[in-house]
Amino acid sequence: MARPGFVLEVDEKTPPIMAPAGAELRLERLGIGTRAVYPADAVASSDPTALIDSALTAPLDSYSLASRLQQDTKLTVVVSDPELPLPRPQFDPRRTLVERVLEAAARAGVDDVELVVANGLRQRWSPAQITAVLGDRVASSFLPDGLVTSHDVTADDLVTIGEAGGGPVRLNRRVAESDVVVVVGLATGITSACPLSEGLTDLATINRMAGAHATDEARTAVEDLVQERVDAFALVAVLGQPLLSAGMRFVSKREWEWNLGDKAAYAGVRQVIGAMPRNGASLVHSRMSADYAIIDVVAGAPAAVRRDAALVWQAGNSVELQGAADVLVVPVWGAATEEGPIGSPLDAAHHALVTAAGSHLGNPYVRDGGVLVAFHPLPNKFSNRRQSAAADFFAKVLPASTDPGEIAAEHEPRALQDEWYLDLYRKQFAHHPLRTFHQWYRIASAAERFSDVIWVGGDRRSAALLGHRAASTYADALEIASDAVGRQPGITFLRGPGLALGDVR
């Protein structure tokens, strides 16, 4: 069993703490009294088959999967496509989950089986990606006959299943017409989107649920309608913390427990990145992966599964904190962003403000009007193929306005009608342009509770475009923050690479 996470109060004997920034691995000496929050220790994975079989035979609020399958059942296996944890898993547990569902279908004699990827606004999966995630066995059996498809939010043949949240809800045709839908997914945090409602509906419905003017009522109404119209069964694996490969394992270890090998590995990685600033980052980060243990597998009615999976993740990852801080410090590592070895400014801002600062239970880490300090260089770099819309958003939209309401009214409609962006989404496996707008709406909403957001080592122009500030050093960032929080602020530091779940009392 893994050691639980804990809070370290920094004193005179505390060594410098790991504070990655983009591609750089660095050690930062924190001020006395700073609370450093460490996640639970990572452990090696084991065969999850027994957990899966147990979940399938004793589901939550549902009959067992085997009892729901008949020879004439029209079965669709929905593969959710959430924001996966980074570093990427060495082995994707969704493969084993899908294989066990297909084996159950084969035992029941089910012939009409298809797989649909619930990618929503994210990139549609290429055959290579389908093979990488689901494995050769599934890919060779279903891909040649076109029985694995990625959802297209712009498709013309979506089926209207009713009205909710202020408009019609159009759903993936195959899913809407299936007798049984098995939703396979991963739980990597306390909250997760409903794969059916956000991953398999049309553009307008997704925008009502997650756009600039979205409401909790609209989201709930759409989810309730989809749940009513689709006979769904969920199967979710709850992941633990990332266990990095031997050469990078020092990142996951507590600094005072580093041995000579860990110190040598740290020095070696810094040398590689320092000697070859561009290629060095790619060598270290591009193939970064980690082993994720499966804490548990939960199956049954989708709403119950999402609730219980979140509770399981909470039990394995929560760390109790006493009182909200004045300053929250968040390192943003290159391996913790999705695109490239470093990631774009939008990726970094989303990770710091939404993913990290939002990884709390109940009370936030920081009091209202506090300050967020993040470590990242904020280079103005985007993937030409997958992030063309994001690059244009950063270069053209943010200089004009950072206000979500104004952006949604004046800039979002043009992006949704841009044939180049849509062609990249449909044919070149790029993200849908609306994804960038939704990403910004979440960033802007999360930033509202802070009086300032300061990027240590960040590009000043990139920070200014985000509406934030940049500082050369951590000490400079605290000096800037002192205008809002004083000279002796309470500071909480989130130590990665995995995220602890802060339960602030």
Side-chain angles (χ1 to χ4, degrees):
M1 185 175 180
R3 285 189 300 177
F6 76 107
V7 180
L8 169 72
E9 185 169 329
V10 175
D11 58 23
E12 296 88 346
K13 298 180 180 179
T14 303
I17 304 297
M18 180 71 69
E24 182 184 0
L25 289 174
R26 58 194 294 174
L27 293 171
E28 191 74 45
R29 189 168 290 281
L30 304 180
I32 294 175
T34 299
R35 299 184 301 179
V37 183
Y38 283 78
D41 277 359
V43 297
S45 61
S46 58
D47 187 355
T49 301
L51 290 174
I52 298 171
D53 291 344
S54 176
L56 290 175
T57 55
L60 300 170
D61 299 344
S62 175
Y63 297 109
S64 68
L65 178 61
S67 68
R68 299 162 68 105
L69 300 176
Q70 307 295 327
Q71 191 170 359
D72 60 348
T73 299
K74 186 174 186 178
L75 171 66
T76 299
V77 180
V78 170
V79 183
S80 71
D81 185 28
E83 298 282 352
L84 288 178
L86 291 164
R88 286 282 184 245
Q90 292 173 357
F91 176 84
D92 197 309
R94 288 175 293 181
R95 178 186 305 185
T96 306
L97 298 177
V98 168
E99 288 178 348
R100 300 303 285 178
V101 171
L102 294 178
E103 288 168 5
R107 286 193 296 270
V110 180
D111 291 326
D112 190 351
V113 182
E114 290 190 23
L115 285 76
V116 177
V117 180
N119 46 274
L121 300 178
R122 292 170 59 79
Q123 65 169 131
R124 304 176 73 208
W125 288 16
S126 67
Q129 188 174 0
I130 290 170
T131 304
V133 174
L134 302 181
D136 292 331
R137 180 183 174 190
V138 172
S140 61
S141 298
F142 289 86
L143 266 179
D145 297 322
L147 300 179
V148 184
T149 56
S150 283
H151 179 64
D152 183 351
V153 296
T154 65
D156 294 327
D157 66 340
L158 304 182
V159 177
T160 300
I161 61 172
E163 290 207 6
V169 176
R170 301 172 66 228
L171 188 67
N172 181 280
R173 177 175 292 276
R174 170 70 194 193
V175 171
E177 296 177 349
S178 295
D179 299 317
V180 176
V181 174
V182 179
V183 184
V184 168
L186 303 175
T188 60
I190 55 171
T191 59
S192 61
C194 173
L196 296 177
S197 58
E198 287 198 32
L200 295 173
T201 52
D202 62 301
L203 203 61
T205 299
I206 295 174
N207 217 4
R208 292 200 302 275
M209 298 178 68
H213 305 294
T215 63
D216 292 338
E217 291 77 12
R219 176 186 294 274
T220 300
V222 173
E223 291 179 356
D224 289 346
L225 176 64
V226 172
Q227 181 177 331
E228 176 187 337
R229 299 300 172 86
V230 178
D231 185 5
F233 182 96
L235 181 64
V236 171
V238 184
L239 301 189
Q241 295 290 324
L243 182 66
L244 297 173
S245 60
M248 295 293 294
R249 196 156 295 174
F250 65 90
V251 177
S252 301
K253 296 175 68 173
R254 297 159 187 181
E255 290 80 3
W256 56 92
E257 295 177 349
W258 281 10
N259 56 34
L260 289 176
D262 296 323
K263 295 175 181 178
Y266 168 72
V269 169
R270 282 184 57 85
Q271 276 191 326
V272 170
I273 294 175
M276 299 182 291
R278 292 184 179 179
N279 295 335
S282 295
L283 286 172
V284 172
H285 292 291
S286 62
R287 297 187 180 276
M288 182 81 69
S289 62
D291 184 21
Y292 287 83
I294 295 179
I295 300 174
D296 199 2
V297 176
V298 188
V305 168
R306 289 169 61 198
R307 180 194 66 234
D308 277 39
L311 291 174
V312 171
W313 199 88
Q314 172 184 330
N317 293 279
S318 61
V319 178
E320 185 173 331
L321 288 164
Q322 295 298 325
D326 301 304
V327 178
L328 178 65
V329 183
V330 180
V332 182
W333 192 24
T337 54
E338 185 173 40
E339 309 293 345
I342 298 176
S344 74
L346 291 174
D347 290 324
H350 188 272
H351 180 83
L353 284 156
V354 180
T355 305
S359 65
H360 59 79
L361 287 167
N363 297 319
Y365 290 113
V366 181
R367 64 171 175 81
D368 286 340
V371 173
L372 177 73
V373 174
F375 288 81
H376 195 275
L378 298 182
N380 188 356
K381 294 181 180 179
F382 294 82
S383 166
N384 291 332
R385 179 170 61 83
R386 291 181 58 184
Q387 292 187 302
S388 289
D392 289 344
F393 181 92
F394 194 72
K396 300 175 182 178
V397 176
L398 289 185
S401 175
T402 59
D403 178 71
E406 185 177 338
I407 289 173
E410 297 186 12
H411 301 279
E412 183 183 300
R414 288 199 296 269
L416 299 187
Q417 296 169 8
D418 191 299
E419 288 299 326
W420 171 244
Y421 296 155
L422 298 179
D423 189 71
L424 288 175
Y425 167 72
R426 294 188 185 113
K427 301 176 183 178
Q428 301 299 321
F429 309 109
H431 300 302
H432 191 280
L434 185 59
R435 178 177 182 267
T436 297
F437 287 83
H438 284 187
Q439 185 181 49
W440 177 252
Y441 302 151
R442 291 191 293 269
I443 292 170
S445 176
E448 288 180 352
R449 65 172 293 99
F450 297 100
S451 62
D452 218 338
V453 178
I454 305 167
W455 294 90
V456 177
D459 178 85
R460 294 186 181 278
R461 184 175 183 278
S462 293
L465 285 176
L466 294 170
H468 306 161
R469 292 203 274 181
S472 299
T473 66
Y474 178 54
D476 290 342
L478 294 182
E479 180 68 26
I480 295 172
S482 66
D483 292 341
V485 298
R487 294 285 177 178
Q488 294 182 320
I491 302 174
T492 294
F493 179 93
L494 298 186
R495 168 68 166 82
L499 287 176
L501 183 62
D503 190 3
V504 183
R505 301 294 185 180

